[in-house]
Amino acid sequence: MAREFTKVGVVGLGTIGAGIAEVLARTGVGVVGVEVSGAALEHGRGHLSQSTGRAVERGKMSAEEQQALLDRITFTTDPSQLADCQLVVEAVPERSELKRGVFGELDRVCGPETVLATSTSSLSVIELAIATSRPGKVLGMQWFTPAPVTGLVEVVPTVVTEPAVLEEVEALVARVDKQAVRAADKTGFIVGALLLPYLNQAVGMYEAHYATREDIDAAMRFGCGYPMGPLAVLDLIGLDTAYQVLDTMYHGTRDHRHAPAPILKQLVTAGMLGRKTGRGFYTYAEPHSPRTEPDVLTPQRGAASEGARPVQRIGVVGTGTMATGIVEVCAKAGYDVVFRARSDEKAAGVRSRVEKSMDKAVQRGKLPEGDRDAALARITGTVRLDDLADCDLVIEGVVEELSVKQGLFDTLDGIMKPGAVLTTTTSSLPVIQCAASTSRPADVIGMHFFNPATVMKLVEVVPTVLTAPDVVATVRAVCDRLGKVAVLCGDRAGFIVNALLFPYLNDAVMMLDAQYAPREDIDTAMKLACGYPMGPFELLDVVGLDVSLAIQRTLYHEFREPTFAPAPLLEHLVTAGYLGRKTGKGFLDYSAR
């Protein structure tokens, strides 16, 4: 039977260390908190007082419970008080020499049966373990900020960690109501190895002026359902912490995607570390505040749609799921909509699906009957492209094949009235190649909706190098009227969302193929640590492995980034016909569900 830890030491009472102490003490465990100086100790005590005080204010604990929790923690600068602890967790800054020194001292102070754990997020656990005479009793325990809230702990055994030690630590994690996942002792473990390259790539986008900080963050929030955008996440983590972890990862992997983006070093050098200093990628009301304040980079409200062309009649070409959803949202927004189908049967199918969708909205109280009837009256189906001639804006939603889209744009060019805006919903093809098929490239722009268009709030607005400024303003004005969040980005493969999302998903597949961790643990880690609605493998199965492979190939061919090459395991599953939910098998098996 696993030993039950009743007294645990925590060395280092910064944000993570104080959070670990709070979690343990809240569950009734006695805690010895050690800091290097009296000032640092008082700072750590302040962390705990503020965190538990907020819990009292929110009604999550009483004042009596707060006091009892704080009474379970012994604050000291004397490491010898750790002598009778059964477990000691090191949570000092992410520097190898510092951590090795702490482990050497703990080895001298603590009894031979004491388990020593490191909260490192990127350093080799075995290299820290060999600084002691008990490497079999050393392992990693990677907690996440804020520790009292985040439900995950990565448990990282080394090649010599004793099985009983692993069992005891996992039992403690369960006892404090956290989920333990096992990760290999490799750079970044699970979460860091998947999260940090994604964050670093987002910084590179921002640094290259590919998109604004607001648009990058909004794209990932509204396009993927993430609780925070990547730049806001970096401000929360701390830019200095992110820089240190990325730098460590780079020296361990030599993967240049792990090399910190230059602007990270500049911000750190300037003391702009994120929320904790009140300045990072964003400006905050005060240090440690989550509330952002406008600054010189904040876009002016309403300025984006100034100079827009008037739009009242919208054409939609296509009858698939995306095109049908676009017809519905445009009609509900008050636009007259003409959609073109290849046959009367397909036109009737679009009309039927739109009616069913609106009827459900009425039944759920989300759409008044009168508004439904008015919206349906604004929709006209046709089998003739010529019937779109007097539309102010046309949205192309046909199959994702460049030749098909180019042929359609060439035909529309000869039909549409002067000044009409032509848009494509492509998710990965070059918009400029569609524009070049016309004699009016200044009027062509990308308008990438997300599926289902009736639900997803995001639209990526993608001008080419030839798109006229008033065309950009027109599309942004239309998005506003549709109730969508428009983000502006360059005409580059993947735009914002797919360019950031799919390399992360591909990394997860390579991680699984390398037996870094089980599929279930990788999915669980990303959901609990990052608040993602789905783990990477769950998401791949929803998107479709064939679709995911096609997008990853497009990114690889555009950027020539070696680590963007599709993971062999993904290629093999697609070849085998395991495409995800739509075939019943992908990374998960849905046949018995």
Side-chain angles (χ1 to χ4, degrees):
M1 181 178 293
R3 171 177 46 158
E4 184 173 291
F5 297 128
T6 56
K7 190 172 184 180
V8 176
V10 179
V11 180
L13 294 175
T15 303
I16 274 290
I20 295 170
E22 179 181 338
V23 171
L24 294 169
R26 185 177 291 184
T27 321
V29 177
V31 178
V32 178
V34 179
E35 260 296 358
V36 69
S37 67
L41 197 66
E42 285 309 305
H43 189 67
R45 196 194 301 267
H47 267 307
L48 280 152
S49 296
Q50 290 173 9
S51 177
T52 55
R54 286 193 295 269
V56 172
E57 290 172 5
R58 294 168 183 165
K60 295 186 176 180
M61 73 169 62
S62 66
E64 293 76 15
E65 289 171 329
Q66 177 195 25
Q67 190 58 54
L69 184 157
L70 294 173
D71 288 345
R72 292 189 196 103
I73 304 173
T74 300
F75 295 90
T76 180
T77 58
D78 181 5
S80 67
Q81 294 200 36
L82 299 167
D84 59 345
C85 289
Q86 297 128 335
L87 166 70
V88 178
V89 182
E90 163 276 308
V92 301
E94 194 78 348
R95 297 198 299 274
S96 181
E97 289 185 6
L98 175 61
K99 288 182 183 286
R100 286 172 61 87
V102 168
F103 269 85
E105 185 171 11
L106 291 176
D107 191 42
R108 291 189 293 273
V109 168
C110 298
E113 294 303 310
T114 299
V115 174
L116 305 180
T118 173
S119 68
T120 182
S121 57
S122 59
L123 298 174
S124 166
V125 179
I126 190 63
E127 290 186 12
L128 299 177
I130 60 175
T132 75
S133 62
R134 64 183 89 192
K137 296 192 181 299
V138 178
L139 80 174
M141 281 184 83
Q142 159 72 333
W143 300 68
F144 294 86
T145 302
V149 175
T150 306
L152 182 78
V153 177
E154 286 181 319
V155 179
V156 188
T158 73
V159 291
V160 296
T161 301
E162 297 168 9
V165 167
L166 186 59
E167 184 181 352
E168 290 167 351
V169 167
E170 289 181 334
L172 174 66
V173 172
R175 206 169 113 215
V176 300
D177 200 27
K178 304 290 183 186
Q179 175 69 51
V181 296
R182 291 190 190 183
D185 184 16
K186 298 180 180 179
T187 304
F189 312 134
I190 297 173
V191 176
L194 294 180
L195 179 65
L196 268 298
Y198 152 69
L199 298 179
N200 199 39
Q201 187 182 351
V203 176
M205 275 188 177
Y206 171 71
E207 189 171 28
H209 303 288
Y210 177 70
T212 67
R213 61 187 182 182
E214 287 84 1
D215 281 355
I216 292 170
D217 279 354
M220 300 312 291
R221 286 173 52 227
F222 292 103
C224 298
Y226 290 176
M228 299 176 72
L231 302 180
V233 168
L234 282 162
D235 275 356
L236 176 63
I237 293 172
L239 304 192
D240 52 340
T241 301
Y243 181 88
Q244 288 172 355
V245 174
L246 279 166
D247 192 53
T248 301
M249 290 176 65
Y250 174 72
H251 284 94
T253 65
R254 296 300 175 181
D255 181 346
H256 79 266
R257 290 193 306 143
H258 299 158
I263 195 172
L264 271 180
K265 186 173 184 179
Q266 295 167 21
L267 291 170
V268 170
T269 302
M272 298 167 64
L273 309 183
R275 284 192 190 183
K276 58 189 174 186
T277 60
R279 289 283 303 278
F281 286 104
Y282 294 94
T283 299
Y284 297 87
E286 58 185 4
H288 301 288
S289 171
R291 184 164 58 87
T292 58
E293 293 278 327
D295 57 26
V296 294
L297 298 178
T298 304
Q300 295 180 359
R301 294 176 63 88
S305 57
E306 287 181 4
R309 301 177 187 179
V311 175
Q312 182 50 42
R313 191 173 180 84
I314 291 179
V316 179
V317 183
T319 56
T321 303
M322 179 64 77
T324 301
I326 293 170
V327 168
E328 180 177 340
V329 297
C330 289
K332 287 194 294 191
Y335 289 109
D336 296 323
V337 182
V338 182
F339 72 90
R340 186 261 186 177
R342 285 180 294 174
S343 68
D344 290 332
E345 291 77 16
K346 287 186 177 294
V350 171
R351 182 83 187 189
S352 175
R353 292 196 299 274
V354 171
E355 288 177 354
K356 287 180 181 178
S357 176
M358 289 192 185
D359 286 345
K360 285 182 181 178
V362 170
Q363 292 168 9
R364 293 170 181 165
K366 295 183 177 180
L367 183 68
E369 287 188 27
D371 290 353
R372 174 200 60 191
D373 296 341
L376 289 172
R378 287 191 284 267
I379 299 173
T380 303
T382 181
V383 295
R384 300 176 65 250
L385 275 174
D386 288 348
D387 290 339
L388 278 61
D390 62 344
C391 289
D392 305 304
L393 180 144
V394 173
I395 302 171
E396 165 275 307
V398 300
V399 66
E400 191 78 344
E401 291 182 16
L402 183 58
S403 60
V404 175
K405 292 181 186 288
Q406 286 176 316
L408 175 61
F409 271 80
D410 178 51
T411 302
L412 289 172
D413 186 36
I415 292 173
M416 303 306 301
K417 66 184 181 182
V421 175
L422 308 183
T423 76
T424 172
T425 61
T426 182
S427 60
S428 58
L429 298 174
V431 178
I432 189 62
Q433 292 194 20
C434 293
S437 300
T438 75
S439 63
R440 55 173 96 190
D443 294 336
V444 179
I445 191 170
M447 198 175 181
H448 180 214
F449 287 80
F450 285 73
N451 200 31
T454 52
V455 176
M456 299 296 284
K457 299 276 290 182
L458 184 70
V459 176
E460 289 178 318
V461 178
V462 189
T464 74
V465 291
L466 299 176
T467 302
D470 64 338
V471 169
V472 178
T474 300
V475 169
R476 299 194 75 155
V478 169
C479 288
D480 286 344
R481 186 164 163 182
L482 297 180
K484 301 298 185 184
V485 175
V487 298
L488 191 68
C489 58
D491 184 16
R492 200 170 74 181
F495 309 139
I496 296 174
V497 173
N498 286 352
L500 291 178
L501 175 64
F502 281 88
Y504 148 71
L505 296 176
N506 198 51
D507 284 348
V509 180
M510 290 192 285
M511 178 181 284
L512 178 65
D513 205 15
Q515 300 184 355
Y516 224 71
R519 175 195 60 75
E520 297 85 351
D521 280 2
I522 296 172
D523 273 351
T524 298
M526 299 312 292
K527 287 189 290 186
L528 292 182
C530 302
Y532 292 174
M534 305 178 90
F537 301 107
E538 294 170 326
L539 181 56
L540 281 161
D541 278 357
V542 169
V543 172
L545 272 58
D546 52 341
V547 174
S548 302
L549 177 59
I551 293 172
Q552 194 60 40
R553 283 173 173 165
T554 298
L555 294 174
Y556 177 58
H557 291 145
E558 170 96 351
F559 297 108
R560 299 295 195 270
E561 169 60 59
T563 54
F564 281 9
L569 178 58
L570 182 61
E571 300 257 17
H572 295 166
L573 288 171
V574 172
T575 301
Y578 284 31
L579 307 183
R581 286 191 184 181
K582 59 189 173 187
T583 60
K585 285 187 177 180
F587 286 100
L588 289 78
D589 187 345
Y590 303 89
S591 58
R593 299 189 180 192

